[in-house]
Amino acid sequence: MKPVIPAVKAVIVKGDTFLALKKKGQAGDVYELPGGKMNFGETHGECLFREVYEETGLEVQPFILYDTWENFQPDYQITGVFYLVEMPENGTIRLSEEHVAYQFLPLEKASLAQMDIVFADRMARWDFEAIKGFMGAR
């Protein structure tokens, strides 16, 4: 039996934008979301806090579980969840050695052209206007 690996990703919202990270060694202008694989005994929230802090230096809390994603490889499957997260007001981004750049992309479908296909395919179904309204209404 091939392993199924749980993971979490954060959609860190700042105004009408979201945080995207460029992984070291990634060819082209392709970005991903902060987050990663869960450790044994870790909750989704604990994993999200740990991974986002390791990758960006930001201390965040999951706000709402928004969607799921899957990544099928020949020897394993990653099954993950997306959390909507607010950008900390006084947050300063410090990238880990895993990433070389970041940017805040507009919360709209056109931004998905810069995202890794694993995430872009799923995010293409999202209602970005509803996300903006929901996150801005808080």
Side-chain angles (χ1 to χ4, degrees), residues 15 42 63 69 73 85 101 103 118 127:
E42 195 171 45
F63 174 63
W69 56 276
Q73 297 295 320
V85 176
Q103 64 177 309
V118 170
D127 183 340

Side-chain angles (χ1 to χ4, degrees), residues 45-57:
E46 291 165 342
C47 179
L48 188 81
F49 181 86
R50 177 184 55 77
E51 283 285 346
V52 170
Y53 186 76
E54 287 174 1
E55 293 178 358
T56 68

Side-chain angles (χ1 to χ4, degrees), residues 2-4 69-80 118:
K2 296 178 182 179
V4 177
W69 56 276
E70 306 294 329
N71 182 1
F72 298 96
Q73 297 295 320
D75 297 323
Y76 63 91
Q77 172 186 342
I78 298 176
T79 184
V118 170

Side-chain angles (χ1 to χ4, degrees), residues 87-130:
M87 175 70 183
E89 282 187 33
N90 298 320
T92 302
I93 298 171
R94 289 184 333 268
L95 291 178
S96 70
E97 293 180 8
E98 193 176 338
H99 296 92
V100 295
Y102 74 90
Q103 64 177 309
F104 283 91
L105 299 174
L107 259 172
E108 56 190 44
K109 289 195 187 326
S111 296
L112 302 182
Q114 290 182 264
M115 295 298 296
D116 185 299
I117 192 73
V118 170
F119 311 115
D121 276 355
R122 189 62 188 183
M123 293 169 76
R125 300 179 182 117
W126 292 3
D127 183 340
F128 288 101
E129 291 305 312

Side-chain angles (χ1 to χ4, degrees), residues 16-94:
D16 288 347
T17 65
F18 68 97
L19 179 63
L21 308 178
K22 183 169 176 59
K23 195 167 193 136
K24 185 185 286 186
Q26 176 69 49
D29 198 24
V30 177
Y31 287 77
E32 65 175 4
L33 297 168
K37 298 173 188 169
M38 291 175 66
N39 291 328
F40 180 79
E42 195 171 45
T43 67
H44 284 156
E46 291 165 342
C47 179
L48 188 81
F49 181 86
R50 177 184 55 77
E51 283 285 346
V52 170
Y53 186 76
E54 287 174 1
E55 293 178 358
T56 68
L58 297 173
E59 292 186 13
V60 299
Q61 292 298 321
F63 174 63
I64 189 168
L65 185 129
Y66 189 72
D67 201 359
T68 62
W69 56 276
E70 306 294 329
N71 182 1
F72 298 96
Q73 297 295 320
D75 297 323
Y76 63 91
Q77 172 186 342
I78 298 176
T79 184
V81 294
F82 293 106
Y83 279 94
L84 296 180
V85 176
E86 291 178 307
M87 175 70 183
E89 282 187 33
N90 298 320
T92 302
I93 298 171
R94 289 184 333 268

